[in-house]
Amino acid sequence: MALRLVFTRFAWSIALGLFWLRADAQSPGSATAANQQEPIQQVNQVPTSAVWLKGMNGGVAFAGIHDSSIGWYQAITPGLSYEFSHRWSTDASFTFYPYRLASNQNPMTSTSEPLVSSNGVIGDTLFGFHGRFNPRGLLTTSTASLTAPTGDKASGLSTGRVTFDLSEHVEKYLRRTGLIVDAGGGDSSTLFNQLVTKDYSSLGPIAHFQAGFGIILPRRMYFRSLAYEQLPLGDQKIYSSLSQPGQPGHPSMEVVTGRKISEDNGFTSSMSIPLTEHWIFQSYYNRSLRFRIDTGYFGFTYVLKGTPIPHRRSLIDRAIREAEGLEP
C-alpha cells in the first residue's frame, strides 16, 4: 500500500511536470533564469557542472573515505550522463574499490584478525532518469533509479537483485540560501543518499526523507547540510561483511532479516569547490545516529565537459576593459 502511494505521487509529479513544461514553453527565458540560480548538479557521486549541458558528459571521482567501522579505504567512481534537454536527463555510474577492509570470513583466523583487505571489488551499477521542473520559483527534480546487481555481494556492496527507487527533490532559494526537501521510496537503501558510501546494502520496501539547507558560495562553491530518515515499510534483509550494531557477529558475510533492521537516521554535510573548469574538490561528513557510524569523504573529480569559474575583477581591470569597450 505504501509503495502504491509512492508510485501515485511520482506519476502525479510527472503529469504536473508536463504541464509546467508546456507553460514554460510559452514564456521565453524562464529556463535561463532557472539555470542561473541552480547549484552544482551531480551525476550520482560524480559532480558535473553548475548548469545542465545538453548532450553527453562524464567524469570520474578519486576519493579517500574513512568509515568508523572499517577505517580508511579508496574509491574510484566513473559516471556518464546525457542531457536530452534542460528538462530531461539520464545517468549511470558505479564505484570501484582498489582497497577496502571487510570481515575475515576464515573461521580459523577471524578471531585474531577480524578485518582483512578486500581489494579490487565493485559496487552495483546505478542508473537514473531525471525530469526537472521550475514551478513558481521552485527547483524540483523527479527521479526514477535502478541498480544492476554488478556489486560484490560477499562484501555487502550488493543485494544480488535489481532494485528501484522513486524520489522527488525540491529546492527553494532566496538569494544564495535555499531550503531543500527530498522524499521518496523504493526497495533498497543503495539508491537513497547516494552521496554517502555505505558498508551494507538492504533489500525490502523503504521510504526515505531528507530536509535541510544549501548555500551557493562565490566561484560556484556549494555547501549543504541535510537531516535524513530511512524508514522500513516491511520485512528487510541487510547484506554486509560487518555485523550491524545490536546484531551478533558471525565469521562469514552477514545476512540479517527483520522488520526494522534497516531503519536509519542522521545528518550529512557536504562541500563542493570547483578548482578549475574540469577539476572539483568535494568532501562530506555523515553521521548515522542509529548505526553509530561516522563517515568522512575527501575526493577530486575530473569532469569532461566543465564550466568556467567566474573570477572577480579588480576596479583597475574593469576600468581598462570599459575603456577598451569590452564591458558596458
Side-chain angles (χ1 to χ4, degrees):
M1 184 66 180
L3 288 179
R4 182 181 298 177
L5 292 176
V6 173
F7 276 112
T8 302
R9 187 177 186 277
F10 185 76
W12 272 109
S13 67
I14 293 295
L16 290 174
L18 294 175
F19 173 78
W20 293 325
L21 174 63
R22 181 178 179 182
D24 284 350
Q26 297 174 355
S27 55
S30 59
T32 302
N35 284 342
Q36 291 175 351
Q37 63 173 327
E38 185 176 4
I40 293 174
Q41 296 296 315
Q42 295 178 8
V43 179
N44 291 324
Q45 295 173 308
V46 180
T48 57
S49 62
V51 295
W52 282 15
L53 304 175
K54 188 174 181 180
M56 184 71 71
N57 199 3
V60 57
F62 307 89
I65 305 165
H66 185 270
D67 187 307
S68 59
S69 61
I70 60 175
W72 285 97
Y73 59 97
Q74 295 96 38
I76 300 174
T77 305
L80 288 174
S81 68
Y82 188 84
E83 281 77 41
F84 302 96
S85 68
H86 70 279
R87 295 292 185 193
W88 306 102
S89 75
T90 186
D91 55 55
S93 71
F94 71 92
T95 299
F96 170 73
Y97 300 91
Y99 171 79
R100 187 174 180 270
L101 291 176
S103 291
N104 188 350
Q105 299 183 25
N106 185 348
M108 302 296 294
T109 59
S110 60
T111 302
S112 59
E113 193 177 2
L115 294 177
V116 294
S117 62
S118 176
N119 303 329
V121 295
I122 64 173
D124 282 348
T125 302
L126 312 181
F127 300 94
F129 181 78
H130 314 278
R132 186 180 59 171
F133 316 104
N134 307 107
R136 300 182 179 181
L138 296 177
L139 301 174
T140 68
T141 304
S142 301
T143 299
S145 303
L146 291 173
T147 67
T150 58
D152 185 5
K153 190 175 179 180
S155 298
L157 300 176
S158 176
T159 64
R161 293 178 51 180
V162 174
T163 59
F164 76 95
D165 188 84
L166 304 174
S167 67
E168 186 77 8
H169 180 88
V170 180
E171 301 181 20
K172 173 62 177 179
Y173 281 83
L174 180 62
R175 296 182 183 273
R176 291 181 173 268
T177 302
L179 176 66
I180 301 173
V181 177
D182 187 289
D187 64 353
S188 176
S189 62
T190 303
L191 291 165
F192 169 56
N193 201 8
Q194 296 177 24
L195 180 67
V196 178
T197 57
K198 306 178 181 73
D199 54 23
Y200 73 96
S201 56
S202 73
L203 182 64
I206 63 170
H208 52 77
F209 312 92
Q210 289 190 112
F213 66 93
I215 302 176
I216 303 174
L217 301 171
R219 294 173 57 84
R220 300 193 188 280
M221 295 187 294
Y222 184 62
F223 172 82
R224 72 174 184 176
S225 184
L226 300 172
Y228 67 87
E229 172 70 29
Q230 179 177 288
L231 186 64
L233 302 177
D235 290 338
Q236 305 285 307
K237 284 186 178 180
I238 282 186
Y239 297 80
S240 175
S241 60
L242 299 170
S243 58
Q244 298 298 315
Q247 301 292 338
H250 296 282
S252 61
M253 193 271 293
E254 286 272 339
V255 181
V256 184
T257 303
R259 186 169 183 82
K260 292 188 177 182
I261 57 173
S262 65
E263 183 177 356
D264 191 18
N265 50 57
F267 59 87
T268 307
S269 296
S270 63
M271 184 75 179
S272 180
I273 304 175
L275 303 177
T276 68
E277 293 185 14
H278 299 279
W279 284 99
I280 301 169
F281 171 78
Q282 189 174 33
S283 64
Y284 70 74
Y285 167 73
N286 181 80
R287 171 62 177 176
S288 170
L289 298 177
R290 192 171 186 87
F291 290 155
R292 300 189 296 276
I293 295 176
D294 298 282
T295 307
Y297 175 104
F298 304 91
F300 295 89
T301 298
Y302 176 79
V303 181
L304 184 62
K305 189 186 296 184
T307 303
I309 301 175
H311 295 277
R312 184 174 295 177
R313 301 188 184 94
S314 66
L315 294 177
I316 297 177
D317 291 335
R318 292 190 61 183
I320 294 175
R321 291 178 64 86
E322 289 176 1
E324 294 176 348
L326 298 177
E327 288 190 2

